[in-house]
């Protein structure tokens, strides 16, 4: 498979996962499709992506697991996303969303104190973001973790 094919599939699966994340009233089959697409996207980014793509792919898998109530899996992938962001010094958006994914996973697991701690770290990272629209969106996502 060529790099162009890997990139195309990674992007299509990532965007398809987002469509399912945003969909109201997903069926059980769509929940499985959402999970499989998130994993497929990350797999294909592994061939052609950069650390940013890896962090975002792990974040997306974590988010899907949180939506499905799979807290341990969400935490596993959330920590991976955060570790990549920290190790690669990605900062801003990717660091904030790494913390967001860990916080969301802890919330699913009923560990409110750990969730709040990671929300606070995510807010601190988001406040360093220069793009106002990205910062506002990121802060809104962080602020809805414990709702």
């Amino acid at each position: 498979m060529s790099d162009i094919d890997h990139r195309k599939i990674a992007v299509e699966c990532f965007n398809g996962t987002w469509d399912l994340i945003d969909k109201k009233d997903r069926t059980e089959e769509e929940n499985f499709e959402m999970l499989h697409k998130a994993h497929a996207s990350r797999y294909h980014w592994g061939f052609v992506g950069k650390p940013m793509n890896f962090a975002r792919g792990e974040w997306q898998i974590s988010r899907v697991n949180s939506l499905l109530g799979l807290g341990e899996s969400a935490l596993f992938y959330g920590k991976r996303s955060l570790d990549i962001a920290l190790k690669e010094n990605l900062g801003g958006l990717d660091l904030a969303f790494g913390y967001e994914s860990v916080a969301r996973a802890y919330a699913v697991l009923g560990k409110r104190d750990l969730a709040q701690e990671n929300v606070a770290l995510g807010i601190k990272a988001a406040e360093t973001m220069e793009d106002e629209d990205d910062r506002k969106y990121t802060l809104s996502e962080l602020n809805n973790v414990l709702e």
Side-chain angles (χ1 to χ4, degrees):
M1 183 174 286
S2 74
D3 285 357
I4 293 170
D5 292 333
H6 281 296
R7 182 172 301 284
K8 181 180 180 200
I9 293 169
V11 169
E12 286 176 359
C13 288
F14 189 89
N15 292 338
T17 302
W18 263 116
D19 292 342
L20 289 165
I21 286 171
D22 290 339
K23 185 176 182 189
K24 306 285 187 241
D25 301 320
R26 284 183 309 276
T27 65
E28 184 176 353
E29 283 304 308
E30 288 170 326
N31 285 336
F32 281 109
E33 179 184 347
M34 179 174 61
L35 184 61
H36 295 316
K37 281 185 175 183
H39 279 282
S41 174
R42 175 57 185 89
Y43 172 78
H44 287 283
W45 278 124
F47 292 99
V48 296
K50 297 184 181 325
M52 176 193 73
N53 304 111
F54 306 154
R56 292 177 184 185
E58 302 292 344
W59 169 86
Q60 191 177 60
I61 295 169
S62 177
R63 181 64 173 262
V64 168
N65 277 282
S66 285
L67 287 171
L68 298 177
L70 304 170
E72 290 294 332
S73 292
L75 185 59
F76 179 80
Y77 291 104
K79 285 182 175 181
R80 176 96 169 117
S81 175
L82 180 58
D83 287 347
I84 294 167
L86 289 168
K87 179 183 174 193
E88 299 294 333
N89 199 30
L90 296 179
L93 182 85
D94 296 295
L95 183 58
F97 274 103
Y99 285 118
E100 181 268 347
S101 63
V102 171
R104 200 171 292 278
Y106 279 131
V108 170
L109 291 168
K111 298 181 178 183
R112 192 168 177 84
D113 289 347
L114 291 170
Q116 185 58 50
E117 179 182 315
N118 281 277
V119 165
L121 291 167
I123 290 171
K124 185 176 178 182
E127 289 172 349
T128 69
M129 296 168 59
E130 292 182 18
D131 184 279
E132 184 177 348
D133 291 336
D134 285 348
R135 185 175 55 253
K136 283 181 181 178
Y137 174 74
T138 304
L139 289 170
S140 73
E141 287 295 303
L142 284 157
N143 287 320
N144 79 23
V145 167
L146 295 170
E147 292 178 352

